Amino acid sequence: MPVVNGIEFFQYPAEEPLWGIRVDGTDLRAHAAWATREPWRPELEDEYEDQERESAEFLWRQHDGLGVRDFAEDHFLSAADRAPLLGCPCGIWQCWPLQARIGVTSTTVTWSAFRQPYREEWGELPIGPFEFDREAYEAALAAPVLPAQDPLGEAPLALGVT
């Protein structure tokens, strides 16, 4: 029997409220940071004065949620080959999206084939695949958690490129 992942959607305040996502209790932005650490290494190695701390912060904050007004609940239930799940911190989600394939059946929702479209050479990122019980997924979408602030927290120093 396949393992079913846990899902939590949340909406946190920014200039406009943003959709955030936790998979198995971990923010999707954290999954993306760890998955892109090695592909980023050549570009970040000599980029920062305080290399470890600043590169960790860059990786940790490279994505943000998707605007609540731009992406309704049905976006996360629409089968698509390349659907954005995270956007860019600049506020223009198309600038730096994290995309994945969304597969929908009557009983499951699956996210797979995570990619960064502006770094095709990275190929498929080592995230997922994640399979969610559709009923639990829809319930999480219908009642997102509403934290008072962005719950991502501090970047772990070990994430930094050294």
Side-chain angles (χ1 to χ4, degrees):
M1 183 177 198
V3 174
V4 175
N5 298 99
I7 184 81
E8 178 182 57
F9 290 93
F10 55 93
Q11 293 178 359
Y12 59 100
E15 235 176 81
E16 70 167 280
L18 299 174
W19 283 104
I21 303 162
R22 286 190 191 102
V23 177
D24 296 332
T26 300
D27 195 301
L28 186 58
R29 294 171 291 175
H31 285 286
W34 286 104
T36 60
R37 181 176 187 256
E38 288 307 314
W40 268 120
R41 183 178 296 278
E43 293 181 58
L44 298 180
E45 279 185 330
D46 298 318
E47 183 72 22
Y48 297 109
E49 192 172 307
D50 180 353
Q51 188 61 43
E52 188 174 19
R53 184 185 59 75
E54 291 181 54
S55 64
E57 191 62 30
F58 168 81
L59 290 165
W60 201 243
R61 302 254 174 230
Q62 71 181 302
H63 290 105
D64 217 340
L66 297 176
V68 170
R69 288 185 217 128
D70 297 328
F71 293 91
E73 294 172 25
D74 61 349
H75 165 75
F76 297 101
L77 275 167
S78 299
D81 186 43
R82 288 197 172 192
L85 297 177
L86 293 174
C88 183
C90 77
I92 301 169
W93 72 264
Q94 301 95 325
C95 180
W96 190 252
L98 176 67
Q99 297 178 330
R101 179 177 299 124
I102 299 177
V104 181
T105 71
S106 62
T107 58
T108 63
V109 177
T110 304
W111 292 353
S112 62
F114 286 81
R115 292 187 173 276
Q116 172 40 256
Y118 298 111
R119 293 293 192 280
E120 287 294 334
E121 67 275 15
W122 290 359
E124 189 172 320
L125 297 171
I127 305 174
F130 301 122
E131 183 176 273
F132 310 105
D133 173 81
R134 184 166 178 172
E135 192 173 301
Y137 185 96
E138 288 183 5
L141 264 174
V145 175
L146 302 171
Q149 61 189 28
D150 181 350
L152 185 59
E154 296 290 317
L157 207 52
L159 181 63
V161 174
T162 54

